[in-house]
Amino acid sequence: MNTPVKHPDEALFQGEAPFPDLPVCEHIAGSEKLITKAFQIQRSLGPVFDITCDCEDGAPAGREKAHAEMVARMIGGAGNAFRMAGVRIHDFRHPHWQEDVKILLSNAGDSIAYLTIPKPTAADQVAYMVDYIIKQCSHLGIAEPPPIHVLIETHGALREVWDIATIPAVQVIDFGLMDFVSDHKGAIPGACMRSPGQFEHQLLRRAKSEVVAAALANGCVPAHNVTLDLKNRQQTFDDAQRAHQEDGFLRMWSIYPTQIEAIIAAMAPEHTEVTVAGKILVAAQDNHWGPIQHNGELQDRASYRYYWQLLKTAHRTGTPIPDTAQQRFFADS
C-alpha cells in the first residue's frame, strides 16, 4: 500500500500551532477617501497586502463615533473585496476605545481581519482589551474574534513585550518608531525617525531586536515601522530590505500608495532561492520527507521548514514559484 503524500504544513509542523500566513505589507489609511483608494489598489494588485483602517490618528477629535461607524461601513461593504482590512482602535487610556470595539464588531463583525491596539504601557492593558473584545464577540454571536496586533511604542510595552507576545489572541507585534523616539525625551535624536539613524542608534537596535525575538519565539509576526519619506520609492525599498535582512522583520507598514509595491518587492525572496526551495521540497515530498541530497548537500526537516516558509512568502508576494511546486503545494490557493 502506498503511503499518502503529505503536504508540507502537515508533514513539517505536526503538533505545532501554524505560524500566521500574512502579507508582508500593511497599508494604513485614515479617511474614507484614503480607505477607498486603498481598496482600489488592493483590487488592482491582488491580495498581496493588508489594509489597516485608522480609528486612532484618523478620527477627528470629538467625531470618534462617526469615524468608527464610517470605518465599519467601509469594511463591511463591497469595496473590501478580499476581506483583508483591519482596524487600529484607540489606546487603553482613550475614553472611546470600548466604543470603537462595540461599533466595529456590531457593524462589521466577521469582516474585520484584525484589530490593532496602540500604545500599551503594560501587558495587562493588552490582556484587558483582548478580554473585552472576546466578550463583545461572544455577546454578538461572532464565532471567531479577530486576531490582535499590538504596537510596541512605549518603554513599558518594550519591557513587557515577551508577556504581550504570549497572549493567545496576539498575531502581530508591531514596532512604532516615531512614538518610541518621542518617548525618550530627546535621548534619541529626531533624525533617528528616518534612515540611517533608525537602524544604527543603539537604543533602537536593542528595541527592534527585542520585538523581533519576542514575536518569533511566540509564534507572532514582527512588523516594522513606516518610512517617513512618502514619495521616494527607493528609500522605502531600502528600509524594508534592511528591516527584513538585518533585523528579521517579516512585515512592514506603508503610509503612502507608492510604498506598497516597494515593501512587497523588498521583502520578497530572491528568484534563485525560490527555485532551489521548490526543487528541494518536491524531492523531499517524493522521499516522504526523509533526508535527501541536493547538489551534494544534506537536506532534512530542519532545512525543509526554512524552505517551506520561504515558498509561502514567495506565494504571498506574487513571486513566481516553479511549476511542480506550485501545482503540488498551492493548487487550492
Side-chain angles (χ1 to χ4, degrees), residues 28-29 173 193 224 287:
I28 191 162
I173 301 292
M193 290 186 184
H224 193 261
N287 198 42

Side-chain angles (χ1 to χ4, degrees), residues 29 46-47 52 107-108 114 125 141 174 178 188 192 203 223 234 236 255 265 270:
T52 299
N107 293 282
Y114 51 88
Q125 292 178 357
D174 302 292
M178 295 174 68
I188 301 176
C192 290
L203 287 172
Q234 187 62 47
T236 302
I255 52 173
E270 293 185 2

Side-chain angles (χ1 to χ4, degrees), residues 137-151:
C137 287
S138 177
H139 174 71
L140 294 167
I142 299 172
E144 292 290 334
I148 303 299
H149 299 187
V150 182
L151 264 163

